[in-house]
Amino acid sequence: MSADDCNVRLDALVVGAGFAGLYMLHRLRQTGFRALVVEAGNGVGGTWYWNRYPGARCDIESTQYSYQFSPELEQDWCWSERYATQAEILSYANHVADRFDLRRDIVLGTRISAATYDEVEQSWTLVSESGRRFTARFCIMATGCLSAPSRPAIDGLDRFAGTVHHTGDWPHHDIDFTGKRVAVIGTGSSGVQSTPVIARQASHLTVFQRTPAYSVPARNIALPPAIQAGIKATYRQLRARAKLNPTGVLFDSSPEKAVETPAELREREYERRWQRGGLTFLGAYGDLLSDEAANRTAAEFVRRKIRGIVADPAVAQRLMPTTAIGGKRLCVDLGYYETFNRPNVSLVDVSRTPIERITGTGIVVDGKEHEADIVVLATGFDAMTGALMRIDIRGRGGRSLREKWKAEPRAYLGLGISGFPNLLTITGPGSPSVLTNMLPSIEQHVEWISDCLVHLRSQELATIEPTDGAESDWAEHVAELARETLRATVDSWYLGANVPGKPRVFLPYPGGFPRYAAECERVAAAGYLGFSLEPSRAAAAETV
């Protein structure tokens, strides 16, 4: 089937050609379904196609942030660094698309604006912004958790005379900051990664910070052939062990409790992990995300590091977070705190005195204008639900997903939504997704969905839809688990707190990858417990 031939009736239409959409297409082909992927961008790669800002890297080690479904693929591909750059990850996505001949069933440059369920035909019709129509029995949303940039509503932003760039929608060409006055608004992951790079070029960089971030050094290194060979020799075993960890990442996590460890030993362990670098820092003790006293020991260690790195005590104090470490996504950096020792870098705290307005020449805070030629919006995403909510999705009775999720976004297992038959979501709200290594989480969802579709076909069933009760029970289960962690105490994008008006609901599943995967297996083994399965209307009529 050609990607240009969209008048045929598809078994499945996949929205999004990131890592989820690429693997979903591959699995659908393997299982004999007629499928097509529709992608808004002009290339594959999803997150790594759009996020081209300076310094963009993955914060999970390259050898783990990669597909696991093909032993041949993992043996052939070579990562050059411990933490791959955006460009290298995008090259990997393109390599996968070519290796598995996926492009012929991918329609690029086509953004879906509406999706409507036809109860009579038991199928979905999707319409692009240009009016192109697609019809499929199953609609699979591979739209990504961090794919809908959140733009701040700052007075005057549209009147700024210079250029404005959002890190999540960066131009596909290099931006020369040489001799420019640059303003970066936001100090989450993209701000932490881009700030050191921009500072090395700009004549002056002003960072506008509302909430300081915890960041740990990456300690990035090149991966010489000997290290890669050692990993590849045991890849299968390493992958299996990683899936036993709550994060789906293989690192040295300890069940020991920080509160029961002598201060001297605790300090030594934090220092060891700081020197090693990366997200393994939060694996130092098993109680860091559940016990406030334990968490304070790790948080204070990082605050002491900031004091020791940043020369100006007043700047260091402003850079120190006061919330629980790990409550927000922990950042991984290449010289972030050191950047504030540069004479061409300023930090403006907008927590108490927010940005008043943007003029044609700069940003006004507390009556003072900070002049700028370029404004970088490192303001993150409408996470997990934003991409879905930007599509007019209508299920049974014409009810819109926007209306259903207005008070609380809910999805059973993060896979299906009551009232929306045959709409399946990869890493939707209520799934581990952003609290884990996204690649194994994506693969687990894709494989569950493809197995589900095979089951429906073998049983001559036409639709699958969560029951209201199962969806409600799962939402309460997710909320209950969240209340047991310190993540629920911090305003973050996990809770939708970064988007004005968004419901405050803990969106990802906090119970860990192994527990979640086991529940998905149990649901499937019990005949898709919690889902309503129905035959086609034609088949049902024949039995009457």
Side-chain angles (χ1 to χ4, degrees), residues 160-195:
F160 179 63
T163 55
V164 179
H165 303 296
H166 193 289
T167 52
D169 188 11
W170 199 260
H172 292 192
H173 58 81
D174 291 337
I175 304 296
D176 186 5
F177 297 101
T178 305
K180 303 292 186 180
R181 298 165 300 179
V182 182
V184 172
I185 300 175
T187 54
S189 183
S190 61
V192 165
Q193 288 186 337
S194 61
T195 288

Side-chain angles (χ1 to χ4, degrees), residues 278-354:
L279 296 175
T280 182
F281 184 83
L282 283 177
Y285 295 101
D287 56 352
L288 292 186
L289 291 176
S290 58
D291 186 295
E292 290 185 14
N295 191 277
R296 278 195 299 272
T297 66
E300 184 52 38
F301 176 87
V302 175
R303 287 191 282 265
R304 287 197 299 273
K305 285 294 185 182
I306 297 171
R307 291 188 195 101
I309 293 170
V310 181
D312 186 328
V315 175
Q317 188 64 39
R318 291 201 297 274
L319 286 167
M320 290 181 201
T322 57
T323 56
I325 186 170
K328 290 186 174 183
R329 177 80 175 197
L330 183 63
C331 296
V332 178
D333 72 85
L334 292 172
Y336 176 67
Y337 295 120
E338 291 85 346
T339 299
F340 292 93
N341 291 330
R342 297 178 63 100
N344 68 324
V345 176
S346 303
L347 178 67
V348 178
D349 185 351
V350 294
S351 58
R352 293 184 177 83
T353 53

Side-chain angles (χ1 to χ4, degrees), residues 88-168:
E88 187 169 16
I89 300 171
L90 184 58
S91 293
Y92 176 69
N94 277 286
H95 171 76
V96 170
D98 292 333
R99 181 187 182 98
F100 297 99
D101 187 27
L102 301 177
R103 296 186 193 276
R104 60 185 167 89
D105 289 326
I106 300 175
V107 180
L108 298 173
T110 305
R111 184 178 294 277
I112 296 298
S113 59
T116 305
Y117 184 67
D118 186 321
E119 294 183 56
V120 175
E121 295 295 326
Q122 295 174 298
S123 65
W124 284 89
T125 297
L126 291 89
V127 182
S128 73
E129 288 181 340
S130 65
R132 195 170 182 182
R133 299 171 70 85
F134 306 84
T135 302
R137 174 74 71 188
F138 298 95
C139 176
I140 303 173
M141 291 295 182
T143 47
C145 295
L146 300 175
S147 55
S150 177
R151 296 179 180 274
I154 303 174
D155 180 39
L157 180 59
D158 58 339
R159 297 190 296 274
F160 179 63
T163 55
V164 179
H165 303 296
H166 193 289
T167 52

Side-chain angles (χ1 to χ4, degrees), residues 344-368:
N344 68 324
V345 176
S346 303
L347 178 67
V348 178
D349 185 351
V350 294
S351 58
R352 293 184 177 83
T353 53
I355 294 172
E356 296 171 21
R357 65 187 182 279
I358 294 179
T359 67
T361 55
I363 299 175
V364 179
V365 177
D366 199 20
K368 178 183 177 181

Side-chain angles (χ1 to χ4, degrees), residues 515-528:
R515 182 175 178 180
Y516 172 83
E519 179 61 16
C520 288
E521 290 176 11
R522 185 184 75 84
V523 165
Y528 294 90

